[in-house]
Every structure is written in C-alpha cells, then in structure tokens.
Amino acid sequence: MEVDKYIASGILELYVAGTLTEEQNMEVFQYAREYTEIREEILAIEASILELTKSVAPSIAKRKGFDDVKVRIGERKDTQVVQFPREKSNWSTYTGWAAAILLGVGLAWFYNENTELKSNINVVEQEKQLLEQQIFEARGSLASTNELLNNLRDKDVTLTPLGGQEVSPTSYAKAYWNKSEDKVYIDAQGLPEPPDGMVYQVWSLKLDPLTPTSMGLLEDFAQDENKVFTLDNPNQTEAFGITLEPAGGSESPNLEQLYTLGAVASS
C-alpha cells in the first residue's frame, strides 16, 4: 500500500469529520492499526481541529504578568518625578529596604504563578492527548462491533446452541458457523472465567465414529469484553464442543472437562 498517497487522498479528514460510510470507517481504522503514519496523521488532524476551535473561541483574559508586578510595587509608565524636602532622619534607607522587600515578594508571587500555569498547561495537554486516544479507540471499537454484527446476521450463518454439561450444567455458548467462509464465531458469554493456567479449547466433532478436531483456543478470555471469538473451521462438523484444557491446549479433548456441547442442525 502507498501510505503517502492514501494520506494525501483526503479520506482521513473525512474520517475525522465522521462523513464516511461504515465500510470506509472500518477500512481506515484497520489501516491505522497497521500503519503508524496513518494513525499519527489522524491524531494530528484531530489536534488541528481542536486548535482551530480554540482560535475562534472568545479570547481568554490576559494573565497577570510582570506589568502587574510593577503596578503592585507602584511603578507606572506615567510616573512623574516629584521633589520632596530633604528629610533630616534616615527614612530613605528604610524606604529602600521596604521597596526591595516588596519587589522580592512580587517577583516570588510572579514566579509561583508562572510555575503553576506551566503545570496546568502540562496537565491539560496530557488530558487532551488521552481524550484523542480514547476517541480514536472508541471509533475503532464501534467499527469492529458493527462488522461483527453484520457477520453474525449473514444469511449463510448457521446457529448452533451449546448446552452445559455435567462438569458445569449452568454453562452455555453459541456457535455461528459461516460455511461459505469456513469461519465460526463462538459466543462464550455463558462460560465462567477459566482458572489460572487453563484455557477453553473448541472442537469440531464427527459423531460416527466420534472424531474430534481442534479448532483453536479462546485466548485472553478474561480480557475480552464481548466474549466473541473468531475461529477457522474447514471441517465437516456435526457438533461443536468446548473443553477446559491446560494452557496451550491439548491434542485431544478431556471429556471430563467438557463444558458445553451442541449438535449442528441438519440442513
């Protein structure tokens, strides 16, 4: 893929603006996950929009600066020289010390204000970057969810309910088999979280004689939010089963740890 030409096409600006179709959104999201340049360009476009928004917003009142410090200590541009009669006492020395102390206090206040301002700017910048990342991930998650729903609703998909077995009677799952694409979507929401060091393994079964073929593992079960897993299945399946196996899976199923089982409806 020619990444530079893809970026220059203008499709990323439309993606950020939310004017693309669902399929186009999914395409851009997949490319962004694959190519760092595309992902960074999307974040840069979003940042530019935020900057543009700030530029047209009402001006924020100018923060107090050094001029304010000078006003606080009585120094103004329109200061006029006024002649005072010479004091017999040593008041000029005291006045100088007082002005120096006041100046020091004013400069310390200005330094603290400036430091706090820089700290606030850093916090706001970090929050903005986090928000941009959350927006990017949310947009991708929505596109992935829509794609999954479309796959499950395909007219060529066969649904097979998997009921709980002796080791876990309350467990259940569903298998959505798209024979034309050799794909099976396992909805494992009804399975309990596996113990540490164990993993669920899905089997394609021929019933006469009983011949199990591993379709794969339900990896990262606890971290998967929707508990829907996509597995390849080029087999002539008559039933689906899910067993609990040691991490890494097994060559043959442990039927004593058979959690769910369901026969494919004959067509």
Side-chain angles (χ1 to χ4, degrees), residues 180-198:
S180 62
E181 296 183 0
D182 292 335
K183 295 284 186 182
V184 171
Y185 302 91
I186 300 294
D187 180 358
Q189 190 70 45
L191 293 175
E193 186 172 325
D196 291 340
M198 304 295 285

Side-chain angles (χ1 to χ4, degrees), residues 60-75:
I60 299 176
K62 184 178 180 181
R63 287 185 173 268
K64 296 179 180 179
F66 193 71
D67 290 340
D68 183 64
V69 175
K70 292 193 292 184
V71 170
R72 285 170 177 264
I73 63 176
E75 183 181 342

Side-chain angles (χ1 to χ4, degrees), residues 124-160:
V124 171
E125 183 65 24
Q126 292 174 4
E127 291 176 347
K128 186 188 78 169
Q129 292 177 358
L130 177 61
L131 178 60
E132 289 174 349
Q133 186 65 27
Q134 289 174 340
I135 292 173
F136 177 78
E137 292 176 354
R139 185 181 288 119
S141 177
L142 178 60
S144 298
T145 300
N146 289 336
E147 182 187 32
L148 176 61
L149 288 175
N150 289 335
N151 289 333
L152 296 184
R153 292 166 178 168
D154 191 288
K155 61 182 179 62
D156 295 325
V157 167
T158 300
L159 169 61
T160 300

